[in-house]
Structures are given as structure tokens and as C-alpha cells.
Amino acid sequence: MPSAAITNGVPVYQTAAGKISSTPSGALVGRAQEAATADGDVIEVRIPTAAEVVALRPLLNLTANATLGEAQSGSVISNLGASGTITVSLPTGCAAGTHFYVVISAAQRIQVDPGANDGIFQNGAKNGDGKYMWADDEGESALFICDANNDWIALY
């Protein structure tokens, strides 16, 4: 159900209260298969292919420390242009399924910080709360997915 008017064929993203929007504000849901003229209209949405999911993700090239928000879920985080180490802080208290794809594009370190009371599960075990994960070799990447306990699962 849209939160506002939506044009047929555009990518749609999740918003509050189980609605969708054409504004990239949450996770990608799919592509509108018909137009919506107002809040509350019911429309058909096609689930995206894997190639569309990758192509439709916003790219954030970070060159300084940054704190991500839940609304940026689905973004690809890169350090292209960074001249030193940057720390990327993940949101706390976010919905299960919130996710970020982090990729090293410059030979500089990215530290991923889960927050003081959250941890990152890596290789089947949880790092301690507040312990960050890092990478510094071009081409290294990991997908961080928030679980139902406000912790993060790292897939790489």
C-alpha cells in the first residue's frame, strides 16, 4: 500500500506502517506494476531480480566517519576517495532485516561499528558488544544484516 502517489514502473521502497514509497527511504521492495494516485491505494509490485537489487541500491562514497540511519538500508557503502581510516557506525535499535553492503574501494581501512550495546556475528560467533569489524584491502566486502536482537550478522 503506497504512502503517496507512485508512477507505474518505478522502484518502490518500504516505509513506516507497512507502506511503500518511490523515495529511497528503506529497503527495496520491488517495482510498481501499476500507478497509485493516493495514500492507501492497493497496487501490484513485482519482486526485483538479483541484478535489479544490486543496480537499484544507493551508493554512498564515504571519505569521513559517518553514522548510518535505518532509512539508508540497502545502500552500498564505499570508501572511494578516502585518504585514511573511516568508521562507519551502524544504526541501533533498527528493524530486523535492515542491511548495508560495505565494500573497500580505496586501500584504506573501514571500521564497522555496531554500537556500544550491539555486536556482530562473524563466522558463527558473536564478537563482544561494541567491537567493530574492519577491512582495508581493495575489493574486500561484507553484507551486514540486523537481526531481531539488534545485533548484526556479517556475511562475506
Side-chain angles (χ1 to χ4, degrees), residues 55-144:
L56 294 172
R57 290 183 185 182
L59 174 63
L60 303 174
N61 287 321
L62 303 177
T63 58
N65 296 345
T67 299
L68 301 175
E70 188 174 356
Q72 294 168 304
S73 178
S75 297
V76 175
I77 311 302
S78 164
N79 66 342
L80 185 64
S83 59
T85 298
I86 63 169
T87 299
V88 175
S89 299
L90 298 171
T92 58
C94 58
T98 300
H99 61 282
F100 302 94
Y101 186 69
V102 178
V103 61
I104 306 299
S105 298
Q108 301 293 336
R109 180 184 230 177
I110 292 182
Q111 299 177 159
V112 179
D113 182 358
N117 298 313
D118 302 331
I120 298 173
F121 282 86
Q122 174 180 2
N123 296 323
K126 181 181 174 183
N127 295 342
D129 286 349
K131 303 293 182 187
Y132 61 79
M133 200 173 138
W134 64 271
D136 62 0
D137 192 16
E138 291 170 296
E140 290 181 313
S141 62
L143 175 64
F144 294 87

